[in-house]
Amino acid sequence: MIDPAKIRKDFPILSRRVRGKPLVYLDNAATTQKPRAVIESLVSFYERHNANVHRGVHELSEEATNLVETTRAKVASLIGARHAHCVIFTRNTTESINLVAHAWGRKFLKEGDEILLTEIEHHSNLVPWQMIAREKGVKLRFIPLAHDGTLDVDSARQMLSPRIKLIAFSALSNALGSVSPIDKILAMARSIGAKTLIDAAQWAPHRPIDVRAWSCDFLAFSAHKMLGPTGIGVLYGKEDILEAMDPFLGGGDMIRQVFLDHSTYNVLPYKFEAGTPNIADAAAFDAAIDYLRGVGFDEIERHERALLGRALSVLGSMPEVEMYGPKDLDRQACLVSFNIAGLHPHDASTAIDLEGIAVRAGHHCCQPLMAKLKIPGTVRASFYLYNTLEEIDLLAAAVSKAARFFKKEEAIA
Ligand code: PMP
């Protein structure tokens, strides 16, 4: 069983005080804190191994190259990819999805085709498709939000047609915490021969991934949401599809031979990694994966279930709190999204911040979802392996204080 007190000792920032109180960090869906091993790995890279990769034959360059390639192999094993060369390093989930939209979408989509997304997508898995749809004359369709905060896959079945060339969806919603019916959506895609892209930005930090079991065509996630550094993300793609795609960016490293009038391209994964990559952060991502594996995803899931259970019960029992999402431990994970009656989410989160508690407020990069729910946004408290049940209680106390304060203000007015 996870002992958060022990785990917290590995995260230097968690001993900080904020607004005169011990920091309660509940904004993990935005980015997570980093264990000492990741911070030390970054420092060690710059102190001992710093050089450019895949270029020099000198010792330092070989060391730097080995560090990046070791992480690539570790990511491949983490997600069950058969080949490390199917793991492409990007800056983040956003860049990974843009890479697919531009390099796959431009080449393989044509006028009249359709892309099926969902109403709960993060802007990262919506705007790139809008851009490519406008350029290519492609229609976007959407799996609707169901009344219980999950996805209405049954009504999506009626939309299925051979015109749909891609189904792109998030495995876990960053705005509601709802777990998508991943297997059902993948089966729908298979039934019409559509390619699939899973936005695993929120899933990868919390649950295991097996791309071979899912048999998805693309998968995207960010290191910074799973204890790793910022600036390093992953795109996994099936080998034959990546081979068939043209490069996204042109420049150094992604070429084999360059002539004045044309070039030939490098092999995977380098074809998609133009220019000097984010070497230090790729190297340090390795330590984050080791840390997560050391704790174990089963343990992480069990701990987060306990945190979510407590949050749903304490916040759910407050009459002034409205919760969004499934509110069910089997269909929701890792976060709660709510509003306090009469308070704008930004004001609520400012009041919560005064107690030293970091939550996020706003539309969470899901404006269409907020429009559908007819709200300006929500307050989101998102958990990770170092959070404690006591911190959930502190959040509940801060929410209750904010609600009481607002009621008093209202009475005075
Ligand atoms: N998709 C989802 C579901 C997310 O939660 C996020 C980050 N909030 C992203 C995509 C984008 O991730 P990044 O900012 O690291 O590119």
Side-chain angles (χ1 to χ4, degrees):
M1 232 170 68
I2 283 186
D3 176 2
K6 192 159 158 265
I7 285 190
R8 290 174 77 83
K9 293 206 177 93
D10 296 331
F11 291 78
I13 204 170
L14 295 181
S15 54
R16 244 203 82 161
R17 292 177 79 80
V18 166
R19 308 215 180 269
K21 314 230 161 99
L23 167 66
V24 175
Y25 188 77
L26 298 177
D27 195 15
N28 294 288
T31 199
T32 57
Q33 300 303 345
K34 320 303 172 200
R36 192 172 286 105
V38 169
I39 299 165
E40 282 173 358
S41 171
L42 274 172
V43 172
S44 152
F45 177 80
Y46 284 117
E47 285 187 350
R48 299 182 46 79
H49 310 288
N50 181 46
N52 214 325
V53 289
H54 309 133
R55 298 169 194 207
V57 286
H58 59 82
E59 174 76 13
L60 287 188
S61 179
E62 275 179 22
E63 284 174 17
T65 304
N66 285 342
L67 286 168
V68 172
E69 295 311 321
T70 300
T71 303
R72 197 189 304 279
K74 201 164 281 180
V75 171
S77 118
L78 181 77
I79 63 172
R82 192 171 281 122
H83 309 293
H85 59 249
C86 292
V87 170
I88 293 152
F89 284 132
T90 60
R91 276 188 307 141
N92 46 39
T93 307
T94 305
E95 188 175 298
S96 299
I97 296 173
N98 274 274
L99 194 163
V100 178
H102 289 268
W104 178 83
R106 276 227 181 94
K107 187 162 178 185
F108 293 104
L109 292 173
K110 55 181 190 328
E111 198 173 341
D113 285 346
E114 294 178 359
I115 298 174
L116 185 60
L117 305 170
T118 86
E119 287 183 344
I120 63 166
E121 291 316 303
H122 189 281
H123 298 163
S124 303
N125 196 28
L126 172 60
V127 182
W129 302 116
Q130 292 173 342
M131 290 158 75
I132 215 74
R134 193 170 322 121
E135 187 182 314
K136 305 286 294 188
V138 164
K139 187 170 174 195
L140 301 182
R141 309 196 69 186
F142 299 92
I143 302 178
L145 178 74
H147 292 298
D148 65 355
T150 58
L151 290 171
D152 186 354
V153 186
D154 290 333
S155 72
R157 279 206 184 87
Q158 275 132 50
M159 295 178 194
L160 294 184
S161 89
R163 286 189 300 280
I164 295 176
K165 294 295 182 306
L166 173 77
I167 304 186
F169 64 99
S170 64
L172 178 54
S173 156
N174 65 303
L176 300 176
S178 46
V179 179
S180 296
I182 302 172
D183 291 332
K184 283 187 185 164
I185 298 177
L186 292 172
M188 276 182 356
R190 263 193 298 279
S191 75
I192 51 169
K195 300 275 180 280
T196 48
L197 180 147
I198 301 183
D199 173 350
Q202 295 298 337
W203 182 277
H206 305 280
R207 302 288 180 268
I209 290 176
D210 184 345
V211 289
R212 272 189 282 175
W214 278 346
S215 193
C216 53
D217 296 292
F218 299 105
L219 178 106
F221 56 96
S222 302
H224 71 93
K225 292 185 195 283
M226 49 196 299
L227 308 183
T230 51
I232 186 86
V234 169
L235 173 67
Y236 158 82
K238 275 190 183 155
E239 187 179 32
D240 55 332
I241 303 174
L242 291 175
E243 291 285 9
M245 285 157 57
D246 290 331
F248 173 37
L249 299 172
D253 258 13
M254 51 71 72
I255 48 81
R256 179 171 285 154
Q257 263 194 306
V258 178
F259 308 91
L260 279 181
D261 60 345
H262 76 284
S263 303
T264 58
Y265 304 131
N266 207 340
V267 293
L268 292 174
Y270 310 113
K271 182 169 91 172
F272 294 109
E273 294 183 355
T276 301
N278 188 347
I279 306 167
D281 295 307
F285 185 22
D286 188 72
I289 298 172
D290 283 349
Y291 193 94
L292 287 173
R293 281 182 149 174
V295 176
F297 281 98
D298 284 354
E299 291 299 317
I300 292 173
E301 176 165 1
R302 194 169 312 146
H303 182 64
E304 289 172 345
R305 238 179 124 86
L307 296 171
L308 179 63
R310 173 83 71 125
L312 288 176
S313 91
V314 289
L315 293 172
S317 63
M318 293 182 185
E320 58 276 67
V321 170
E322 175 156 14
M323 308 263 277
Y324 307 94
K327 298 174 230 109
D328 171 325
L329 284 179
D330 291 327
R331 289 174 300 148
Q332 184 169 337
C334 313
L335 64 90
V336 285
S337 207
F338 60 93
N339 273 317
I340 304 174
L343 266 184
H344 190 281
H346 283 141
D347 296 331
S349 76
T350 303
I352 293 169
D353 175 56
L354 290 175
E355 304 301 315
I357 303 173
V359 291
R360 175 152 179 207
H363 52 65
H364 313 299
C365 297
C366 293
Q367 286 184 7
L369 173 62
M370 296 302 142
K372 173 112 185 186
L373 295 171
K374 297 192 176 60
I375 50 175
T378 71
V379 179
R380 180 186 72 188
S382 49
F383 323 124
Y384 212 10
L385 70 178
Y386 38 65
N387 290 122
T388 64
L389 292 170
E390 293 72 37
E391 287 181 315
I392 307 293
D393 293 343
L394 287 170
L395 170 70
V399 167
S400 163
K401 189 169 169 186
R404 277 199 315 275
F405 179 76
F406 177 73
K407 257 196 210 139
K408 220 189 292 162
E409 292 280 292
E410 221 181 19
I412 293 165

